[in-house]
Amino acid sequence: MPSSGIMNRVFSRVRNLDAYPKVNEDFYSRTLSGGVITLVSSIAMIFLVFSELGLYLQTVTETKLVVDTSRGEKLHINFDITFPAVSCTLLSLDAIDISGEQHLDIKHSVMKTRIDANGNEIQMRYDRMGTPKIGKPMQKHGGELEHNETYCGSCYGAEKSEDECCNSCEEVREAYRRKGWGLMNPDLIDQCKREGFVQRIKSEEGEGCKVHGSLEVNKVAGNFHFVKSFHLSNIHVGHEGQAFQEDGYNISHKINKLAFGVNYPGIVNPLDGVHWFQGIPNGMYQYFLKVVPTVYTPVRGPVIQSNQFSVTEHYKGPEKLGQRALPGVFFFYDLSAIKVYSQLQE
């Protein structure tokens, strides 16, 4: 059939098609320089192909700054700090903000690890008393606890109401903190005496403490600080026990981690790994932090709400501390009015 003949001729021409027709050997000659040029050109083309492919697959971060109009949010602070010369019992974490909200001797979501002089872990525990009690407890009315009688310990004048009971040394200390009183002699407090509170402090002499955990505070300017736990809550001066008033308070510390929010790829926390050694006791080390709210949007996955921060440092020696100043490590933070939006783009 004529049509089949036409198709055969078309297929025959396609099979004989040569985009690179061979040149007769009489018209060219092979040389070393030509081979080198061919090899170099091939390598260059392969390199360019892979370079362009890498640029195509590479993600680019686009950053945008806007005014932060958010209200009523909370600020999440994660910390991991080592104090090689302060025992865990004597270390207190407090938080205060400009709205007047105070959290003193914070224990919720805080873990303390006792360490020896070489930095080795001794014991890990949540910050609570929980030690074995010695002797019969004294009732609020003054007599010893009798058989089948419900225990209600005295708060030694710091009760919120007549029905309030303080059944442990920690509850007495908390009641005193609410009043802004100092616990001058723990041995005069029945609960503390039975729990061996003073003996425990003495047994931890020469130890250090690694404290880590988290805080949730109002998203306003404020500070959190690590200080000696024997202090008045209202004016932050004085100690709970006469036996501890003359002791030096060495605030040497190492910041293993400090972050305002969750980590995201590329974040830099400038205080991670910072170590400061104090030569003389009873100073005040201050960090001033500017916190910048940040929204990180990855190519795939959920949007991450976090914060970046910058920092400056200042140290006050004991000779510069006033009567009302308390030795310790203080972190003063303030919020930036600008929010950063960081988005990855392919």
Side-chain angles (χ1 to χ4, degrees), residues 71-244:
R71 294 289 183 273
E73 295 182 353
K74 293 289 186 178
L75 191 62
H76 198 75
I77 306 172
N78 300 308
F79 57 88
D80 184 346
I81 305 176
T82 301
F83 295 86
V86 182
S87 67
C88 288
T89 303
L90 295 182
L91 190 63
S92 171
L93 169 61
D94 303 338
I96 305 172
D97 63 39
I98 60 172
S99 68
E101 185 169 328
Q102 298 186 57
H103 301 278
L104 304 177
D105 205 6
I106 299 170
K107 294 177 173 59
H108 181 68
S109 300
V110 176
M111 179 78 79
K112 292 181 180 179
T113 305
R114 294 170 57 192
I115 57 176
D116 60 23
N118 299 318
N120 300 316
E121 180 179 322
I122 298 175
Q123 174 190 359
M124 181 177 290
R125 60 176 174 83
Y126 282 104
D127 193 9
R128 61 180 70 178
M129 297 296 286
T131 53
K133 297 176 175 59
I134 303 171
K136 282 188 176 182
M138 297 293 294
Q139 288 281 46
K140 189 174 183 179
H141 53 69
E144 291 187 352
L145 178 65
E146 300 295 337
H147 185 63
N148 293 330
E149 187 179 10
T150 302
Y151 177 49
C152 179
S154 172
C155 296
Y156 297 87
E159 299 92 345
K160 282 184 176 179
S161 64
E162 293 183 358
D163 298 330
E164 184 181 7
C165 302
C166 293
N167 296 338
S168 68
C169 182
E170 182 58 35
E171 291 180 3
V172 176
R173 294 175 66 202
E174 180 60 33
Y176 268 56
R177 273 191 291 270
R178 291 198 309 260
K179 290 283 189 178
W181 298 351
L183 196 63
M184 299 308 297
N185 192 343
D187 271 340
L188 296 180
I189 305 300
D190 177 64
Q191 295 89 326
C192 297
K193 185 177 180 180
R194 289 189 302 106
E195 294 175 10
F197 181 68
V198 174
Q199 287 76 10
R200 192 180 75 180
I201 293 175
K202 292 180 179 178
S203 69
E204 294 182 3
E205 287 183 1
E207 294 182 2
C209 186
K210 179 180 179 182
V211 55
H212 69 275
S214 61
L215 293 174
E216 190 174 76
V217 297
N218 295 325
K219 197 175 178 180
V220 295
N223 78 84
F224 63 96
H225 47 264
F226 297 87
V227 294
K228 205 168 189 176
S229 61
F230 306 110
H231 60 273
L232 295 174
S233 64
N234 282 348
I235 59 175
H236 273 210
V237 64
H239 297 168
E240 286 183 352
Q242 295 287 351
F244 314 114

Side-chain angles (χ1 to χ4, degrees), residues 17-34:
L17 179 64
D18 189 355
Y20 302 97
K22 305 300 183 290
V23 180
N24 194 301
E25 291 187 3
D26 294 337
F27 298 100
Y28 70 89
S29 61
R30 301 176 186 274
T31 62
L32 177 62
S33 59

Side-chain angles (χ1 to χ4, degrees), residues 38 54 58 72 100 111 117 119 171 207 221 228 231 233 248-249 251 266 268 270 297 310 312 318 321 337:
T38 301
Q58 184 180 8
M111 179 78 79
E171 291 180 3
E207 294 182 2
K228 205 168 189 176
H231 60 273
S233 64
Y249 195 60
I251 60 170
V268 176
T297 305
S310 60
T312 56
L321 294 182

